[in-house]
């Protein structure tokens, strides 16, 4: 019972950290509802992954985790997909961009990193708030990606490390 209570406490803390990263709770709720509707419409999270990133049917999704991608304009809520060949992120809501001609376009922020292009994946904590945990992914060409606000940080980290090590063994 004590172990179950500890797990529930960790999950509640992770949920609190996840929601705190959003500028508005109402926007977070809208994003989660929109994401849930899209997953149901498309027939599951794996079909969402295949459709969003146009990957081959033989590529298998290992884990999908809700999180935030740190950007220069602030954290972007979305899903981190870990597959047998790639790490991918897609924002849960579309972003609006103003064009020079005065029009605006909406798009989903997407990142796709082949596992073979990842140099390292490491865990990190905020020194002032140890409950805030981050995943740093560095590519072979020195691009850094910071993910945070996971609902289940340890599981995501474990699956990420396993996927990277299996891809490196296949090289």
């Amino acid at each position: 019972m004590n172990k179950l209570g500890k797990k529930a406490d960790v999950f509640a803390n992770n949920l609190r950290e996840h929601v705190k990263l959003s500028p508005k709770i109402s926007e977070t709720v809208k994003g989660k509802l929109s994401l849930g509707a899209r997953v149901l419409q498309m027939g599951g999270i794996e079909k969402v992954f295949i459709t969003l990133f146009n990957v081959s049917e033989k590529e298998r999704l290992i884990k999908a985790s809700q999180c935030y991608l740190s950007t220069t304009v602030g954290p972007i809520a979305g899903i981190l997909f870990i597959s047998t060949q790639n790490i991918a992120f897609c924002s849960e809501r579309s972003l609006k961009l103003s064009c020079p001609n005065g029009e605006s376009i909406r798009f989903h922020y997407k990142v796709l990193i082949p596992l073979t292009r990842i140099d390292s994946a490491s865990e990190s904590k905020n020194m002032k708030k140890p409950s805030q945990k981050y995943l740093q992914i560095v590519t072979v060409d020195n691009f850094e990606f910071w993910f945070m606000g996971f609902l289940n940080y340890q599981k995501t980290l474990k699956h990420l490390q396993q996927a990277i090590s299996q891809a490196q063994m296949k090289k």
Side-chain angles (χ1 to χ4, degrees):
M1 190 68 166
N2 193 15
K3 194 174 186 179
L4 184 61
K6 206 177 232 184
K7 279 187 176 184
D9 194 40
V10 167
F11 180 77
N13 193 33
N14 289 346
L15 183 60
R16 188 173 31 255
E17 290 299 326
H18 181 78
V19 172
K20 276 202 283 189
L21 287 169
S22 176
K24 293 181 186 175
I25 290 180
S26 62
E27 292 297 314
T28 300
V29 172
K30 275 194 236 175
K32 303 297 178 215
L33 290 173
S34 169
L35 175 64
R38 189 170 13 155
V39 169
L40 286 172
Q41 264 180 335
M42 295 177 93
I45 197 73
E46 188 152 8
K47 290 201 175 159
V48 170
F49 171 65
I50 290 167
T51 304
L52 285 173
F53 294 98
N54 206 18
V55 297
S56 72
E57 291 276 338
K58 58 185 161 179
E59 183 171 351
R60 196 172 53 65
L61 182 64
I62 298 169
K63 175 89 174 135
S65 299
Q66 290 186 19
C67 67
Y68 290 82
L69 172 64
S70 178
T71 68
T72 54
V73 294
I76 297 175
I79 299 179
L80 178 68
F81 297 95
I82 302 169
S83 78
T84 52
Q85 296 175 19
N86 296 294
I87 301 297
F89 176 86
C90 183
S91 61
E92 62 187 36
R93 296 191 60 164
S94 58
L95 305 174
K96 189 175 180 180
L97 181 67
S98 298
C99 299
N101 64 3
E103 294 180 25
S104 62
I105 58 169
R106 297 194 77 74
F107 65 96
H108 283 278
Y109 192 96
K110 294 196 281 187
V111 175
L112 181 74
I113 311 165
L115 291 172
T116 56
R117 302 285 300 157
I118 295 175
D119 186 43
S120 66
S122 55
E123 57 184 310
S124 183
K125 290 182 195 178
N126 182 331
M127 292 300 199
K128 293 179 183 172
K129 294 182 182 178
S131 62
Q132 290 181 347
K133 298 176 183 177
Y134 308 97
L135 284 179
Q136 178 192 24
I137 295 177
V138 181
T139 63
V140 293
D141 43 359
N142 276 332
F143 282 99
E144 290 185 19
F145 298 90
W146 289 84
F147 298 95
M148 58 195 163
F150 290 93
L151 295 177
N152 196 329
Y153 177 82
Q154 290 301 340
K155 237 182 209 177
T156 303
L157 176 63
K158 182 184 108 182
H159 287 291
L160 176 63
Q161 289 172 334
Q162 284 176 346
I164 292 169
S165 68
Q166 287 175 355
Q168 289 173 344
M169 287 191 316
K170 289 178 184 178
K171 276 187 181 179

